[in-house]
Amino acid sequence: MPAYYDPTVKISRSSIVLGYIAAAAMKLWSMTLRYQINGKPGLSAPPLPDQPVMFALWHNRIFTMPPVWKKTGGSQRSTVVLTSASRDGTSLASAMKVFGIGAIRGSSSRRAVAALIGMKNALIEGHDVVVTPDGPKGPRYIVQPGLIKIAQSNNTPIVPIHITYSSAWRLKSWDRFVLPKPFSRIIVTFDKPIYIPKTSDETLFESHRSNLESLLIQGTDDA
């Protein structure tokens, strides 16, 4: 599976082990959940274009998706996820590897340039990229501009992923990280691909960023 690492990122062995433990916990937890998946990419409508795409979902939903990625049809496409350059990012990258998902190491706050280059290279090489546009440190439910810039420069469609829960715990972290309660119902919806036209107009750029943000918020049950 593909991986894009900034060589200056330090890899902690303990963080890698923690990632494998987290992946095992995700798998066990997901066995208690009931999933309803709408618009599976590659399997049903809306069909994805025959080119790499960027999947966008809020940071506090990342616990939910990896265990059911194969059920969504996403495993039919080569996929990488953008993770931070921190120890938490190392753990997340290790966890994603268990589910057959590659990693790009970087973030909007640290090594941002390396992250953008990694995303661009992954898309050029034919891999889909999963992004949490308000990560890694927020503000919560605010789309950062990097996602829009990459979509414009590569003419890459963005596919919003909406996830709602019948019952869940919300942690007291910056993103109010969501843990679905055992035996609860989770609805995962893949929205239609969005194309962001190139523009040098700052007002128009902000309009595209704001529109994507509004669309993602509309599919959120606690915003």
Side-chain angles (χ1 to χ4, degrees), residues 102-146:
I104 301 170
R105 298 301 308 279
S107 72
S108 59
S109 58
R110 291 184 59 193
R111 297 177 173 87
V113 174
L116 293 175
I117 292 174
M119 289 172 62
K120 192 167 185 176
N121 288 340
L123 292 166
I124 290 173
E125 293 174 17
H127 308 295
D128 293 334
V129 177
V130 179
V131 179
T132 56
D134 58 342
K137 295 182 178 180
R140 179 166 58 108
Y141 299 155
I142 299 296
V143 171
Q144 301 297 328

Side-chain angles (χ1 to χ4, degrees), residues 48-66:
L48 290 182
D50 187 22
Q51 69 175 105
V53 304
M54 289 192 289
F55 295 103
L57 71 160
W58 294 127
H59 190 273
N60 60 12
R61 263 72 176 159
I62 57 177
F63 185 87
T64 306
M65 282 302 298

Side-chain angles (χ1 to χ4, degrees), residues 56-88:
L57 71 160
W58 294 127
H59 190 273
N60 60 12
R61 263 72 176 159
I62 57 177
F63 185 87
T64 306
M65 282 302 298
V68 295
W69 192 241
K70 287 185 179 180
K71 293 182 181 180
T72 70
S75 61
Q76 296 182 5
R77 302 167 64 96
S78 179
T79 307
V80 297
V81 61
L82 177 63
T83 69
S84 72
S86 65
R87 289 185 177 181
D88 289 345

